[in-house]
Amino acid sequence: MLDFLIFGGVLLGIMYIVLYLTVLKIPKFKSSVKLHGKTFIITGSNTGIGKATALDIAKRGARVILACRDKQRAESAVNDIKKQSGNNEIVFMHLDLASLQSVRSFAENFLKSEPRLDVLINNAGVVTEGKTKDDIGLIFGVNHIGHFLLTVLLLDRLKECAPSRVVTVSSRGYEIGTIDFECISTQKDLGRGNSALGLFMKYAHSKLCNVLFTHELAKRLEGTNVTCYTLHPGAIRTEIGRHANLLWKMILTPITTLFFLDVEFGAQTILHCALQEGIEHLSGCYFSDCAVQKVRAKARDDAAAKKLWELSERLCGLA
Ligand SMILES: NC(=O)c1ccc[n+]([C@@H]2O[C@H](COP(=O)([O-])OP(=O)(O)OC[C@H]3O[C@@H](n4cnc5c(N)ncnc54)[C@H](OP(=O)(O)O)[C@@H]3O)[C@@H](O)[C@H]2O)c1
Ligand SMILES: *[C@@H]1O[C@H](CO)[C@@H](O)[C@H](O)[C@H]1NC(C)=O
């Protein structure tokens, strides 16, 4: 009996290691490109995948703007990144994506104080219930609307600095997302209800918004030498579930401990989209595992992408 258990345990262990090294592992972004003289903005870069991305880009010599909502958490990240990269051009600038006014102030401040923008990385994301300052559903507001306005306000600067890029971090979860335009128009939200499942579905919907946004943005940027990409970073161990209730935490913790990868892995596909040479013809596309991927029909629906853009403009007071 004991032999059997030990044998079973060893077998499971080997299966796990094989799984970890094959299915779960993400290829590394291999380029050694240096980035001196270039400026990057990364939203939500005080922790998680955004911070790991900021550190890599800092090591390559770029000026990195940490666009974050919490001064203390952001300044501690700035210090960590400076120390670990030896790069002193790491700057915190306040941005709360849950407030259109804050997005506008950030853009104004940035455009006044910084001469360049080479790559904008829309990374911040939440799976938390609540509303933004503008009474927009929080998940929709932070994951899509705030980034939509931020991008639009920075486009002229990106065009001046072309070739330049916009990288928006989505998730494979977009595959189960849908867009309920009626709900967006009447509720300023992607769905009704705040159960754990309801929140997860809103998250999936918001990640479909990220893909559709990138699809439409690419069309609007044709001929400008500004290109844009969206991606799934992988299943990564971060703080994103920190607001989940105890039951969810008890279910999620063993899964993330065993099957989710470290944040360095989560940065790889972002780095690929931001830095890989020769992918300009793939503007508007969705990436995963440092490679372009086919997307579901709903994620390349021209009419839906255009409609989402126009509704987003209206919610931001741009139209
Ligand atoms: N982890 C995964 O397995 C996974 C999988 C697929 C996709 N993603 C995507 O990857 C991106 C990064 O997620 P993560 O896992 O690294 O999550 P995380 O550790 O929770 O980091 C999220 C970041 O977003 C920031 N943020 C939240 N609300 C904000 C707001 N209103 N204004 C400005 N910044 C705000 C957070 O700031 P605070 O620290 O102040 O809260 C934090 O810096 C997200 O877009 C997520 O959807 C993650
Ligand atoms: C885009 O880049 C190409 C190649 O460098 C250049 O010839 C072209 O003038 C650029 N277009 C614009 C609109 O800047």
Side-chain angles (χ1 to χ4, degrees):
M1 183 62 185
L2 189 63
D3 283 0
F4 182 73
L5 277 180
I6 292 173
F7 178 72
V10 170
L11 199 67
L12 270 179
I14 292 173
M15 277 167 59
Y16 172 68
I17 290 168
V18 169
L19 189 74
Y20 202 86
L21 293 177
T22 54
V23 180
L24 296 173
K25 209 170 153 79
I26 295 166
K28 273 238 163 220
F29 173 66
K30 290 197 192 71
S31 162
S32 56
V33 65
K34 291 284 178 263
L35 302 169
H36 301 277
K38 308 225 175 216
T39 300
F40 287 65
I41 293 176
I42 309 176
T43 69
S45 40
N46 57 280
T47 184
I49 298 168
K51 186 182 178 190
T53 305
L55 176 60
D56 186 291
I57 289 170
K59 285 179 179 167
R60 294 169 189 271
R63 184 169 173 80
V64 188
I65 313 296
L66 272 56
C68 301
R69 64 174 165 175
D70 187 291
K71 187 168 195 274
Q72 236 177 343
R73 282 165 70 80
E75 278 175 351
S76 122
V78 166
N79 289 333
D80 285 354
I81 293 169
K82 278 186 180 168
K83 225 180 284 164
Q84 289 178 51
S85 66
N87 179 344
N88 267 323
E89 290 196 61
I90 315 300
V91 181
F92 158 64
M93 285 178 67
H94 184 259
L95 169 67
D96 180 0
L97 288 156
S99 156
L100 296 174
Q101 184 49 52
S102 172
V103 175
R104 289 183 178 284
S105 307
F106 172 88
E108 214 172 284
N109 187 15
F110 173 83
L111 292 171
K112 247 192 308 198
S113 59
E114 296 284 332
R116 291 198 64 79
L117 179 56
D118 295 280
V119 182
L120 166 64
I121 300 179
N122 292 321
N123 162 80
V126 290
V127 201
T128 318
E129 82 173 270
K131 298 271 186 194
T132 71
K133 295 249 161 61
D134 312 277
D135 204 35
I136 297 167
L138 189 69
I139 294 173
F140 181 43
V142 171
N143 298 9
H144 170 66
I145 292 291
H147 282 129
F148 171 85
L149 180 60
L150 178 67
T151 306
V152 168
L153 295 176
L154 298 175
L155 271 188
D156 284 341
R157 179 60 54 82
L158 285 160
K159 287 176 189 167
E160 287 161 27
C161 299
S164 54
R165 297 183 181 186
V166 179
V167 178
T168 301
V169 182
S170 177
S171 162
R172 212 186 144 182
Y174 92 80
E175 291 178 4
I176 59 166
T178 52
I179 309 285
D180 180 346
F181 287 109
E182 163 74 22
C183 191
I184 295 178
S185 308
T186 59
Q187 317 286 313
K188 299 189 185 180
D189 206 348
L190 295 167
R192 295 167 175 85
N194 284 314
S195 64
L197 183 66
L199 291 180
F200 183 72
M201 285 312 298
K202 284 185 193 177
Y203 176 76
H205 303 327
S206 78
K207 293 288 132 177
L208 176 57
C209 290
N210 292 153
V211 185
L212 286 169
F213 163 66
T214 302
H215 182 78
E216 176 71 17
L217 181 62
K219 286 189 187 178
R220 291 174 183 250
L221 289 173
E222 263 172 38
T224 62
N225 290 337
V226 184
T227 55
C228 57
Y229 314 90
T230 187
L231 66 119
H232 171 59
I236 310 298
R237 221 177 291 124
T238 66
E239 295 188 78
I240 198 159
R242 82 190 90 148
H243 300 292
N245 65 33
L246 191 63
L247 180 67
W248 271 94
K249 279 189 180 145
M250 279 165 61
I251 298 169
L252 289 175
T253 306
I255 298 175
T256 53
T257 309
L258 279 174
F259 298 111
F260 281 37
L261 299 171
D262 288 336
V263 285
E264 288 75 17
F265 287 103
Q268 300 308 311
T269 306
I270 301 181
L271 294 168
H272 180 88
C273 291
L275 307 179
Q276 180 64 47
E277 282 168 33
I279 61 168
E280 288 78 6
H281 64 291
L282 298 173
S283 185
C285 288
Y286 170 86
F287 290 69
S288 168
D289 293 325
C290 291
V292 69
Q293 309 289 337
K294 280 218 177 83
V295 288
R296 303 282 169 99
K298 66 184 169 191
R300 48 185 156 82
D301 178 333
D302 293 331
K306 181 164 183 284
K307 197 165 173 185
L308 177 65
W309 187 284
E310 289 165 359
L311 270 179
S312 305
E313 282 182 328
R314 225 174 300 156
L315 284 175
C316 293
L318 291 171

